[in-house]
Amino acid sequence: MIKDILVHLPTDRAIKPVIDASVSLASFFDAHIEAFAAGDITANTYAIEGSSAAAVAAVFEIGQQRATDRAMAALTIFETEARTAGISYHCRPIVDLPEEAAASISAASRLCDLSIVLQPEPGQHAFDSTIPTKILLQSGGPVLFVPYIFRGKLRPKRIGVCWDGSRLAARALRDADPLLAKAESFAVISANSERVASSDAAPEQVVKRLKRYGRPVKLLSYQQNRSEIQPSILSLAADENVDMLVMGAYGHSQFRESVLGGVTREMLESMTVPTLMSH
C-alpha cells in the first residue's frame, strides 16, 4: 500500500519531472504527499574574513532569505499542480546547510511508503544533486528516481524487474509490491543468471512469483560483462517499452559521503526510465 509519498523538489534544477511523477502517482494511489524543497545556506555566509560581526550577520540574513525564496518558489509551483489534481499534500521548506538539509529530508522519508527524487545530473555538483543519493542510502525504504528528461504522467503499466538474486534485489522487489499489483505486465531482466548463488533465487523463480499477479511475465536473460550490464538493462527496457525499472541499489555511507556501486552509479548517471531503487 502506498499512502504517504515524500517528494524532494529541486530548487536549482528542473522541477517539472518530479512534480508530474509524484502528483500522478498520488492521484492513482489516493496518497498524501509530503513535499520538501531545500534552500541551501552555503558555508561562506557564516564567515567573511576580516568582516565585523554585524557584516557577517547581514550576509547570513541575505543568504537565508535567498534560500527561503528558492524553496518557497519550488513549493508554490508544486502546490498549484497538487491543488489542481485534488490530492492531499503538505509543503515543507527547509533552509539549512547541505548536510543538515539532506539529513532532515532523509529522516522524514523513513515515515513514508515511497520517496520520489530527481535523477542526479551528470557533471552537476549543485546542492540539489547530492540530496537524492543521500535519501537512497539513509531512508530505509524505496526511492523512485525520475529522469530529468521525464515528462507527463507516470502510470507504470509495464514494469521491468532487474534480478541478480541478491538481498538488495529482493528488497526492491518487495518494496515495489504496491506498484507491481497494479501493473499490466512484467519483464524480469537478469544478467549472467548462472552466477546466482542458489537456484531457489533464480530468475525463473521470480517469474513464478510475478505470475501470481495474473499478468504476463517475460524473462530476459543474457550474458554480459559487468561494464555492459547497465547499458544492456536500458536497451532491453527500451525494447520492451518498460514504464519503470525496479532494482537493488549497492552502496554505503562513509564519512557522510555517498559511495555507490558501479551499476547503481551508472544507472543514476544515464537512466532513461523512472527507476525504483532500494538499499
Side-chain angles (χ1 to χ4, degrees):
M1 180 184 300
I2 295 178
K3 300 306 293 181
D4 291 281
I5 296 173
L6 179 144
V7 61
H8 168 239
L9 304 169
T11 58
D12 60 1
R13 298 193 297 141
I15 193 173
K16 186 67 171 170
V18 287
I19 290 179
D20 286 349
S22 61
V23 170
S24 58
L25 281 182
S27 297
F28 185 67
F29 284 100
D30 191 24
H32 171 83
I33 292 183
E34 289 288 326
F36 283 80
D40 171 25
I41 304 178
T42 52
N44 61 12
T45 63
Y46 278 94
I48 303 175
E49 187 176 355
S51 299
S52 66
V56 171
V59 170
F60 172 75
E61 185 175 349
I62 292 171
Q64 187 178 45
Q65 186 59 54
R66 288 176 176 172
T68 300
D69 290 345
R70 287 196 300 272
M72 293 307 298
L75 290 169
T76 298
I77 296 172
F78 166 81
E79 189 169 18
T80 299
E81 298 292 331
R83 188 183 298 115
T84 300
I87 63 172
S88 171
Y89 66 90
H90 179 226
C91 293
R92 299 178 63 178
I94 293 180
V95 177
D96 213 331
L97 291 173
E99 285 292 340
E100 283 66 24
S104 294
I105 299 173
S106 296
S109 72
R110 294 168 195 154
L111 296 179
C112 292
D113 303 308
L114 176 68
S115 298
I116 300 178
V117 300
L118 185 67
Q119 169 197 11
E121 199 160 347
Q124 294 286 331
H125 300 288
F127 166 59
D128 277 328
S129 286
T130 65
I131 291 180
T133 53
K134 292 180 185 298
I135 294 174
L136 173 65
L137 293 175
Q138 299 174 20
S139 72
V143 179
L144 177 63
F145 285 84
V146 181
Y148 49 81
I149 62 171
F150 180 81
R151 295 294 182 275
K153 294 182 179 180
L154 176 58
R155 171 64 175 94
K157 296 180 180 180
R158 182 161 177 78
I159 297 180
V161 176
C162 303
W163 185 257
D164 62 3
S166 67
R167 179 189 66 82
L168 292 174
R171 172 66 185 272
L173 181 64
R174 288 192 292 270
D175 283 346
D177 186 70
L179 293 156
L180 297 173
K182 293 182 177 292
E184 295 179 0
S185 62
F186 311 103
V188 177
I189 303 172
S190 180
N192 309 319
S193 58
E194 75 283 352
R195 297 180 185 177
V196 174
S198 171
S199 60
D200 292 320
E204 291 79 8
Q205 298 300 323
V206 180
V207 171
K208 289 182 180 179
R209 182 187 188 280
L210 292 175
K211 281 185 176 179
R212 296 191 183 103
Y213 288 106
R215 284 105 185 204
V217 185
K218 179 185 288 188
L219 176 59
L220 305 173
S221 186
Y222 62 98
Q223 301 297 312
Q224 197 61 268
N225 295 327
R226 198 220 64 83
S227 62
E228 296 299 320
I229 290 177
Q230 180 269 338
S232 296
I233 290 173
L234 291 181
S235 177
L236 289 169
D239 291 343
E240 297 297 322
N241 198 28
V242 164
D243 301 308
M244 175 186 290
L245 287 169
V246 173
M247 64 184 294
Y250 292 86
H252 62 280
S253 185
Q254 185 178 49
F255 302 111
R256 305 190 75 179
E257 295 293 332
S258 297
V259 181
L260 297 172
V263 174
T264 304
R265 183 178 61 253
E266 292 160 8
M267 180 63 73
L268 292 179
E269 289 174 353
S270 56
M271 65 172 54
T272 54
V273 61
T275 302
L276 184 145
M277 294 186 175
S278 293
H279 173 64

